[in-house]
Amino acid sequence: MNPVALSLYLHFPFCLSKCSYCNFNSYAGMERLIPDYLGAMEKEILLWKMFAREYSSQSSFHEEFQVETVYFGGGTPSLLQPEQIAYVIERCRAFPFAVAPEITLEANPGTVQEKFFARIRRAGVNRLSLGAQSFNDGCLKLLGRIHSANEAREAFLCARKAGFDNINMDLIYALPGQTMPCWQNTLEEALRLHPEHLSLYSLTLEEGTPLAGWVKAGLLPLPDGDLAADMYLLAEEILDREGYSHYEISNWAVPGKECRHNLAYWKNTSYLGVGAGAHSFLFGHRFAGVSSPQEYVEKLSALERLPPSFLEVGGEKSHLDFVEGADVEREMSDTVIMGLRLQEGIDLASFAGRFQRELLPAYRQEIEELVELGLLDADEKGIRLSGRGKLLGNEVFMRFLPPNSTGSALS
Ligand code: SF4
């Protein structure tokens, strides 16, 4: 039996302070909980390992897993000590690792030094995702980031010096008041550093965040949708010229340096999320842990075992917040929606092999209408977003939602 590739996501919900735009599951001022939280994560990994063994022997899921990718996300995982990171990686080895796993850590430029990078590299981290966000100090201040543009630059150079040869940089555009020259300058500053990967996100004003409140109160101008689209097109043009491949709606990479971990999400394959609020897609179920770090620690300390039937009964008395069983319509829909985010789109033969159903008859009307509207390209091999479709992704994805869906895949 060939092992099934598994991606492990490890969530660290601790930050030094909360950024003005952020509605992620992250908390400032809770660092005292980190040791207990790491203990809870260690226990969760072992419980899942035991569960996988029992579940495979008692259900139709006869699966052996092999970890292809590990992703330390947050929050701010770079607040951890290198020894703690090494310890967590070792605990993950409860599941066998592939020969060359990708191990990514998200780093906040305001929390790191050269020594840190050298030590986490020795611990096995081989990819960094640096939350630079902007190279304009005014924008960084507006976003409530704890670092300056220069500190982001320094952090990148330190990581390089420590030997990292696979670095992503996150940047945000369409900020209130941001001009096109300001965005272009941020892009050019980033490119001067030659990152292997760039993730570019248009700012979303999230209800309840200070930034959304300032815009609502009229203190800041609402970002203009047309300008945001132009900023995206400018990035496409510049990054294309620089040789980056635009392999996903918001992601560009030097060919061969695409993020293997995120590709698992976009291809809708197995992943296990460990930690408060972390999401998983495994054993034919989708599930997520409780989002409060304190509650997560308490629930884990009271857990001794995950009985083989507990996913079927909705994760009762466990650390999970929700569990959803498999549903082929939902899986097909998620596979199309996530797969269309990729430049390569959906391959007809792979889809048919996975679901024993042909894509075109299953979604004929939706596909024909979207092709007609110029949002989708279709040929004998598959379907993919057109240039215009990339700008209007959610309009395309909505058409593939199953009836009565909440639209949770559209994020
Ligand atoms: S560092 Fe990241 S997770 Fe933490 S508050 Fe800022 S945006 Fe949110």
Side-chain angles (χ1 to χ4, degrees), residues 85 89 103-107 112-130 155-168 193-196 257:
I85 292 166
I89 293 174
I103 304 183
T104 305
L105 182 124
E106 286 181 353
V112 285
Q113 294 169 342
E114 194 174 329
K115 263 203 299 214
F116 172 85
F117 288 126
R119 288 165 67 194
I120 64 167
R121 194 159 169 268
R122 277 200 295 277
V125 177
N126 52 28
R127 182 174 184 274
L128 283 177
S129 181
L130 202 63
F156 186 97
L157 294 171
C158 283
R160 268 284 189 262
K161 210 164 158 203
F164 278 97
D165 60 3
N166 194 358
I167 308 179
N168 169 58
L193 296 167
H194 304 293
E196 283 70 29
K257 297 287 189 180

Side-chain angles (χ1 to χ4, degrees), residues 15 17-19 21-22 24 26 74-76 108 145:
C15 291
S17 68
K18 195 79 182 165
C19 301
Y21 61 100
C22 175
F24 302 143
S26 64
T76 308
N108 184 319
R145 302 292 299 179

